[in-house]
């Protein structure tokens, strides 16, 4: 299949999946390992074309476990690396995702959600992996998850994923709806590109005194590059500042506290939300991805009908923008959570919301997107009774 | 007993060292501050480690350029003692991690240390595809016929009727001939060595690292504490001597001119092909795309 690309200066018509690939190259990604799965395969196909042009390497591995391993291997070697997958493949990556979080290997995983569980509905949209993205691997672990709502945003958020990943030395997941992955929209690369490209901080102190996991002022240690003289040890076993395993409770606590806290320490660059009409909203819609686009339209229509409605769209889904949400929650009378699953985002909203706020839901689990009309009627209903 | 051990330790054909053992001080290659190591007395994994580092020494590989990727198991823990760039990854996946590392950083010398369970059970698929691809790296599979780290469960290499904690009535599963598997899957170099003959093993590993392509070396190791104890095989020297009678350690040969014939008893280089190395082939095939950038 030819790439659905039409070059027109720096504006391009791109499919969402291709936008992720092109953005990865712009962000400095030079290694891709993956295994084909609908609806994400076009990311791999485009990377296979683009990487050789910039001296990078593409490899189709034997499965998703191997792909995630190879991506981490390349990252530990000092090269920015990415993989892309969908539900079942994402599940297979989870053990190694935990490893990446533990050894603090920067890497980006695109997960184009499809219906599940199991092989589910490969070509139908779903938002069933919101919680898998947060909690899929075992153990308490830090993670950053971004949820674009358009092709242009898939481009921008993929670049941002690399930047956050390098800055915080953590895996970053880009959660895409199938609708956006296969939608063709115009991406203004000229506007997106000037985003600063962030590279991890390389270890530079004398090897004799270097401790690979020393707690630096900002919680993110400098990374040793093989060949630079550090000869450090990397292990998924719980390790202290030296990088070697420890089971001493005090050392384990310190190491895990730093690991779990490092993203929170940088909420200023991690958090991102889009809010529309929230200043005086009585009914707040909380939605992500393609559903948020339908919600934006519904909110506009509700306002035209005199209902004070607002949209709260976490672009960074995890960590959830709690502070921004709580501010609004204190003011609104009702919240509506439309999502293409049986109620995953709603769990987080319920956790954070005050008891007096009424919470309505729309859950579509039939492989069809939620349309603006359904959201509009639910807003009207909540405005009447909320 | 002692006489028998002395005889067994006489150098065998092909075992001639290009460096005298005295030229090589293993402590130059170890993170000595981590000693003592965790391995049980008599464990063959330590000898395998020695052979590897001796080979690295003979090849003159700078420690800074050496990357050792290990899986999970007693075999996987050996990497931490090596004064190099060491990566202790997930169970069964070291070849996958190493593939990314070696492809992204062709300037590094990548060596994988894995166990029989790590490599052939959970990691079996990665092994056959690593052999098929022929990316330049060396895989040492330390075969002690058992899952050591988890306390002695059956492995794909456990012999017939052997007692393990999960085969209390004796093993009924057939064993893998890992070298036959690797050769069939297309590994560039396939060899088998024993801890009994460290110089021969060192030579084999040296040739494996020097070979451009994917090299697979099975090291016949011994888990004295668990496998030996459970099956009444005596102390470590007795276990190793039994291996000698079962294997053909005199053979450190060059079989390049012969087709590979599966024989789980043979040691030495069992297969060698000069197929294109994966990284070279990839870079050559995509060079035109790069030129247009
Ligand atoms: C996914 C996963 N499954 C199981 C384990 C438990 N485990 C740790 S080591 C090991 C077996 C190791 O055996 P082998 O590879 O033969 O190495 P040895 O310890 O004998 O050297 C197993 C099953 C694990 N760590 N991860
Ligand atoms: S349990 Fe067995 S394999 Fe593990 S260190 Fe002890 S002797 Fe070696």
């Amino acid at each position: 299949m030819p790439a659905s690309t039409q070059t027109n200066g720096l504006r391009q018509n791109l499919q969402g999946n291709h936008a992720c690939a092109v953005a990865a190259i712009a962000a400095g990604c030079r290694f891709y390992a993956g295994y084909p799965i609908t609806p994400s395969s076009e990311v791999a196909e485009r990377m296979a074309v683009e990487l050789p042009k910039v001296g990078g390497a593409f490899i189709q591995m034997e499965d998703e476990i191997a792909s995630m391993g190879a991506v981490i291997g390349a990252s530990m070697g000092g090269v920015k690396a990415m993989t892309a997958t969908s539900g079942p493949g994402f599940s297979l990556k989870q053990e190694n995702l935990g490893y990446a979080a533990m050894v603090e290997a920067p890497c980006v995983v695109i997960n184009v959600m499809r219906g599940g569980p199991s092989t589910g509905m490969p070509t139908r949209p779903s938002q069933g992996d919101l919680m898998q993205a947060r909690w899929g691997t075992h153990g308490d672990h830090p993670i950053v998850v971004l949820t674009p709502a358009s092709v242009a945003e898939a481009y921008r958020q993929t670049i941002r994923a690399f930047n956050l990943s390098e800055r915080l030395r953590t895996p970053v997941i880009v959660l895409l709806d199938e609708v956006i992955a296969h939608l063709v929209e115009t991406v203004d690369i000229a506007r997106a590109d000037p985003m600063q490209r962030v590279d991890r901080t390389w270890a530079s102190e004398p090897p004799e005194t270097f401790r690979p996991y020393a707690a630096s002022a900002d919680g993110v240690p400098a990374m040793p590059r093989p060949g630079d003289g550090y000869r450090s040890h990397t292990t998924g076993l719980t390790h202290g500042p030296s990088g070697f395993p420890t089971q001493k409770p005090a050392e384990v606590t310190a190491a895990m506290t730093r690991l779990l806290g490092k993203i929170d320490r940088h909420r200023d660059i991690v958090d991102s939300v889009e809010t529309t009409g929230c200043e005086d909203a009585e009914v707040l819609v909380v939605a992500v991805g393609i559903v948020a686009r339908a919600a934006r339209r519904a909110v506009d229509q509700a306002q035209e009908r005199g209902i004070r409605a607002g949209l709260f769209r976490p672009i960074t889904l995890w960590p959830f923008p709690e502070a921004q949400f709580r501010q609004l929650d204190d003011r609104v009378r009702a919240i509506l959570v439309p999502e293409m699953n049986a109620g995953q985002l709603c769990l987080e909203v319920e956790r954070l919301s005050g008891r007096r706020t009424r919470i309505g839901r729309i859950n579509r689990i039939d492989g069809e997107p939620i349309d603006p009309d359904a959201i509009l009627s639910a807003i009207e209903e909540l405005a009447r009774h909320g | 007993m002692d006489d028998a051990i002395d005889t067994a330790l006489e150098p065998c054909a092909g075992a001639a060292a290009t460096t005298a053992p005295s030229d090589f001080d293993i402590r130059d290659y170890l993170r000595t501050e981590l000693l003592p190591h965790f391995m049980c007395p008599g464990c063959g994994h330590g000898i395998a480690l020695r052979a590897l580092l001796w080979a690295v020494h003979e090849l003159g590989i700078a420690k800074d350029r050496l990357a050792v990727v290990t899986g999970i198991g007693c075999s996987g823990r050996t990497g931490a003692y090596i004064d190099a760039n060491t990566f202790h990854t997930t169970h069964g996946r070291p070849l996958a991690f190493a593939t990314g590392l070696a492809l992204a950083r062709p300037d590094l010398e990548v060596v994988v240390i894995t166990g029989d369970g790590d490599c052939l059970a959970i990691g079996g698929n990665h092994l056959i595809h690593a052999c098929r691809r022929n990316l330049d790296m060396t895989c040492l599979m330390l075969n002690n016929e058992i899952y050591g780290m988890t306390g002695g469960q059956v492995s794909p290499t456990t012999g017939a009727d052997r007692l393990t904690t999960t085969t209390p009535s004796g093993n009924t599963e057939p064993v893998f001939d890992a070298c036959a598997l690797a050769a069939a899957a297309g590994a560039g170099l396939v060899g088998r060595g024993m801890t009994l003959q460290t110089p021969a093993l060192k030579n084999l590993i040296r040739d494996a690292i020097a070979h451009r392509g994917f090299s697979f070396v099975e090291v016949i190791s011994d888990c004295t504490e668990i496998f030996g104890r459970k099956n009444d095989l005596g102390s470590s020297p007795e276990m190793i001597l039994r291996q000698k009678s079962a294997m053909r350690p005199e053979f450190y040969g060059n079989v390049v001119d012969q087709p590979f014939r599966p024989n789980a008893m043979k040691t030495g280089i069992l297969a060698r092909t000069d197929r294109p190395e994966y990284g070279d082939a990839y870079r050559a095939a995509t060079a035109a795309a790069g030129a247009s950038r």
Side-chain angles (χ1 to χ4, degrees):
Chain A
M1 202 183 70
S4 52
T5 310
Q6 209 182 31
T7 311
N8 176 13
L10 287 169
R11 304 194 81 200
Q12 287 195 0
N13 285 337
L14 286 174
Q15 187 203 65
N17 279 336
H18 289 161
C20 291
V22 175
I25 300 287
C29 175
R30 293 296 177 264
F31 183 88
Y32 181 99
Y35 190 80
I37 182 168
T38 304
S40 76
S41 299
E42 295 87 355
V43 181
E45 290 165 0
R46 190 64 188 260
M47 287 307 270
V49 172
E50 300 293 337
L51 273 168
K53 295 185 194 166
V54 293
F58 169 93
I59 187 168
Q60 182 170 318
M61 295 295 286
E62 53 272 20
D63 60 31
E64 286 87 350
I65 302 174
S67 308
M68 194 67 222
V71 160
I72 300 169
S75 174
M76 294 188 308
V79 175
K80 290 188 192 179
M82 177 174 94
T83 185
T85 190
S86 180
F90 193 44
S91 300
L92 290 180
K93 290 182 190 298
Q94 291 292 350
E95 185 198 8
N96 280 346
L97 251 173
Y99 179 90
M102 187 60 142
V103 306
E104 303 180 60
C107 54
V108 172
V109 179
I110 310 281
N111 177 29
V112 184
M113 292 180 281
R114 64 191 240 175
S118 190
T119 20
M121 287 188 288
T123 60
R124 305 305 311 173
S126 153
Q127 294 183 324
D129 295 348
L130 303 189
M131 284 299 169
Q132 188 187 190
R134 177 61 195 92
W135 294 112
T137 201
H138 57 289
D140 297 312
H141 63 280
I143 203 93
V144 175
V145 179
L146 310 178
T147 55
S150 69
V151 176
E153 207 176 64
Y155 182 89
R156 286 198 303 274
Q157 293 302 323
T158 302
I159 294 182
R160 193 164 161 257
F162 274 96
N163 289 350
L164 288 173
S165 167
E166 294 284 316
R167 176 66 187 86
L168 302 171
R169 278 189 67 180
T170 197
V172 175
I173 295 159
V174 181
L175 266 191
L176 226 55
D177 297 301
E178 183 276 340
V179 183
I180 298 162
H182 285 153
L183 198 65
V184 176
E185 291 182 306
T186 304
V187 179
D188 195 343
I189 288 176
R191 202 154 28 130
D193 233 6
M195 271 213 278
Q196 270 223 317
R197 195 198 274 188
V198 176
D199 291 323
R200 66 195 78 168
T201 305
W202 294 111
S204 58
E205 64 175 276
E208 308 78 58
T209 54
F210 177 68
R211 293 190 312 156
Y213 292 96
S216 63
D218 72 352
V220 184
M223 199 161 165
R225 181 162 35 194
D228 283 1
Y230 292 99
R231 300 200 298 274
S232 57
H233 185 57
T234 302
T235 178
L237 292 167
T238 308
H239 44 267
S242 70
F244 292 100
T246 177
Q247 295 189 18
K248 293 194 183 115
E251 289 176 11
V252 171
T253 307
M256 287 305 292
T257 305
R258 179 183 65 74
L259 191 67
L260 294 171
K262 74 174 175 176
I263 287 171
D264 269 342
R265 290 168 74 162
H266 296 279
R267 289 300 278 265
D268 54 326
I269 57 164
V270 173
D271 284 357
S272 73
V273 279
E274 179 202 321
T275 53
T276 312
C278 287
E279 307 71 34
D280 60 350
E282 283 181 359
V283 179
L284 184 69
V285 184
V286 181
V288 295
I290 196 68
V291 178
R293 266 168 92 167
R296 199 185 296 148
R297 170 119 175 250
V299 162
D300 286 348
Q301 289 172 339
Q303 285 172 352
E304 281 164 21
R305 293 179 191 190
I307 300 170
R308 288 191 292 168
L311 170 68
F312 182 84
R313 176 171 80 93
I315 299 172
T316 303
L317 174 63
W318 306 117
F320 196 83
E322 295 188 15
Q324 296 88 329
F325 174 77
R326 281 210 165 99
Q327 264 179 11
L328 295 176
D329 178 61
D330 284 345
R331 296 212 312 265
V332 300
R333 280 168 43 214
I335 294 175
L336 175 68
V337 189
E339 51 185 326
M340 285 189 282
N341 60 49
Q344 298 187 22
L345 181 57
C346 197
L347 282 177
E348 188 68 4
V349 169
E350 281 169 358
R351 182 179 79 81
L352 294 170
S353 176
R355 278 166 187 228
R356 52 186 186 78
T357 318
R358 183 159 169 222
I359 297 174
R361 310 162 160 233
I362 300 176
N363 301 108
R364 253 198 119 140
I365 50 170
D366 59 356
E368 293 295 327
I370 299 174
D371 58 49
D373 287 350
I375 300 175
L376 179 60
S377 352
I379 293 174
E380 286 174 331
E381 173 80 14
L382 282 169
R384 269 198 300 276
H385 306 291
Chain B
M1 183 73 223
D2 281 350
D3 282 356
I5 293 171
D6 279 353
T7 329
L9 291 179
E10 273 167 20
C12 60
T18 47
T19 51
S22 55
D23 290 346
F24 163 65
D25 186 345
I26 191 170
R27 285 168 299 188
D28 293 343
Y29 292 87
L30 292 181
R31 291 172 172 144
T32 45
E33 67 279 13
L34 295 187
L35 299 176
H37 57 72
F38 81 100
M39 281 172 275
C40 310
C43 178
H45 289 2
I47 306 175
L49 187 62
R50 177 180 180 77
L52 166 65
L53 295 178
W54 193 359
V56 165
H57 175 76
E58 276 194 4
L59 289 166
I61 298 168
K63 293 188 282 184
D64 200 27
R65 231 169 41 81
L66 177 66
V68 179
V69 184
T70 67
I72 301 291
C74 297
S75 49
R77 291 287 181 105
T78 56
Y81 300 98
I82 303 175
D83 184 19
N85 307 281
T86 53
F87 304 96
H88 181 225
T89 66
T90 47
H91 187 36
R93 321 298 176 194
L95 285 171
F97 282 76
T99 298
L101 183 60
L103 191 55
R105 291 289 307 272
D107 56 313
L108 298 174
E109 199 64 70
V110 177
V111 174
V112 171
I113 303 177
T114 174
D116 43 80
D118 199 58
C119 186
L120 296 175
I122 189 166
N125 199 33
H126 308 310
L127 173 65
I128 56 178
H129 290 281
C131 293
R132 176 179 67 86
R133 269 183 212 114
N134 202 33
L135 183 62
D136 188 29
M137 60 173 112
T138 300
C139 173
L140 300 188
M141 186 192 86
L142 312 189
N143 179 1
N144 57 9
E145 282 189 66
I146 200 144
Y147 285 31
M149 180 127 277
T150 39
Q153 296 83 9
V154 72
S155 147
T157 53
T158 306
D161 305 326
R162 288 300 191 195
L163 299 176
T164 73
T165 51
T166 47
T167 56
S169 318
N171 179 29
T172 49
E173 287 194 16
V175 303
F176 253 131
D177 179 342
C179 289
L181 183 75
L189 183 146
V190 179
R192 185 184 286 119
M194 300 172 57
T195 56
L196 170 68
Q197 297 286 359
T198 318
L201 180 61
K202 175 265 300 173
N203 287 352
L204 173 60
I205 297 174
R206 188 194 58 204
D207 291 357
I209 296 176
H211 179 86
R212 183 146 185 86
F214 185 79
S215 304
F216 178 79
V217 174
E218 175 179 6
V219 181
I220 305 299
S221 186
D222 68 279
C223 172
T224 328
E225 267 308 299
I226 300 176
F227 190 72
R229 212 180 266 276
K230 191 116 191 144
N231 289 284
D232 234 351
L233 297 176
S235 64
S236 173
E238 284 169 297
M239 282 184 79
I240 294 178
L241 281 178
R242 186 173 282 103
Q243 285 169 5
K244 189 198 173 189
S245 59
M247 309 292 293
R248 286 167 48 195
E250 75 281 359
F251 186 84
Y252 176 78
N254 188 344
V255 292
V256 182
D257 48 347
Q258 298 167 22
F260 178 82
R261 267 181 252 105
N263 182 341
M265 301 297 121
K266 271 189 187 170
T267 59
I269 296 180
L270 306 177
R272 186 181 357 219
T273 53
D274 284 315
R275 286 202 296 130
E277 192 269 338
Y278 179 91
D280 292 341
Y282 177 80
R283 287 183 288 271
T286 55
S292 72
R293 89 179 90 140

